[in-house]
Amino acid sequence: MYEKEREELIQNLRVKGIKDESVLNAMLKVERHLFVPEAVRPHAYNDIALPIGYGQTISQPFTVAIMTEALNLKPNSKVLEIGTGSGYQAAILLEMGMKVYTIERNPDIYYRTQKLFDKLGLRILMKLGDGTIGWEEYAPFDGIIVTAGSPSIPEKLKKQLAVNGRMVIPVGGRSTQTMTILTKISDDKFRIEKIPHFAFVPLIGREGWKEE
Ligand code: SAH
């Protein structure tokens, strides 16, 4: 279902500047409509964020693409996602051949997405809790992707990133952020690149925002 819409979306992402074929290929394969509520399914292949309930959203496809491209991971890499949400971003990483670890703080969203992963047979390791403190047990990670807007870069996540690994995290105010791409050069040295003008739901937690 929706094959033609998916192809058009990929074409649209190319026009917008996404070049990484492994990212584009994964987005051609993963069926985004399965990750959104039935009511918004007809819009699943528009390049927009969509509501997934509980005041949360599934990220815009362009945002998923640019963040995944920025991670610059080889297949088989270990990647940690903070903010599982619909599970779409995690499914893209899995399709690209990564070992995927993902953390979600909202129990309703967590259990709903766990069910979906089971149904689709997606082998993704999930944890319910505050992702701003990372997942020590499986660290270090070759890549860390934070899919909620953060006031700063959580220290624990910096520590749990492998040397030469990359972290992609939207940093800024509660409503707009700058996409920040960190490359770990050595234990305490990072190279930083930035892409402005993103809008994510807030990252809530110990090293994030306070709940409203
Ligand atoms: N990657 C998701 C985007 C979901 S929106 C997708 O592909 O659909 C962001 C999600 O981050 C929400 O589900 C929200 O509940 C969650 N979140 C916010 N703060 C968090 C935290 N500290 N730890 C884990 N998850 C968090």
Side-chain angles (χ1 to χ4, degrees), residues 7-21:
E7 273 169 27
E8 280 169 9
L9 172 64
I10 301 313
Q11 200 43 43
N12 184 353
L13 293 174
R14 283 185 198 278
V15 170
K16 291 181 178 170
I18 304 300
K19 292 193 178 70
D20 188 328
E21 291 298 330

Side-chain angles (χ1 to χ4, degrees), residues 52 56-59 64 81-90 103-106 109 129-132 147-148 201-206:
I52 56 169
Q56 306 302 320
T57 55
I58 176 172
S59 303
V64 171
E81 177 194 29
I82 312 301
T84 313
S86 69
Y88 179 70
Q89 172 74 68
I103 308 177
E104 171 58 53
R105 71 179 288 276
N106 178 311
I109 295 178
D130 178 6
T132 66
T147 64
V201 295
L203 182 76
I204 294 165
R206 213 145 89 189

Side-chain angles (χ1 to χ4, degrees), residues 63-129:
T63 303
V64 171
I66 204 165
M67 291 177 86
T68 310
E69 190 170 68
L71 278 174
N72 199 228
L73 291 165
K74 298 185 194 72
N76 264 317
S77 300
K78 252 164 79 180
V79 50
L80 174 67
E81 177 194 29
I82 312 301
T84 313
S86 69
Y88 179 70
Q89 172 74 68
I92 294 292
L93 291 164
L94 185 73
E95 179 65 40
M96 290 172 71
M98 310 303 164
K99 286 180 222 128
V100 187
Y101 301 80
T102 184
I103 308 177
E104 171 58 53
R105 71 179 288 276
N106 178 311
D108 295 311
I109 295 178
Y110 175 87
Y111 290 112
R112 188 180 67 186
T113 301
Q114 187 176 56
K115 249 195 223 148
L116 181 67
F117 285 167
D118 280 351
K119 188 171 141 201
L120 300 177
L122 304 180
R123 291 170 64 96
I124 291 167
L125 242 76
M126 304 179 78
K127 177 176 160 165
L128 176 62

Side-chain angles (χ1 to χ4, degrees), residues 26-38:
M27 294 185 72
L28 186 60
K29 292 213 178 103
V30 177
E31 300 179 289
R32 189 172 186 252
H33 68 274
L34 301 179
F35 295 82
V36 302
E38 231 166 270

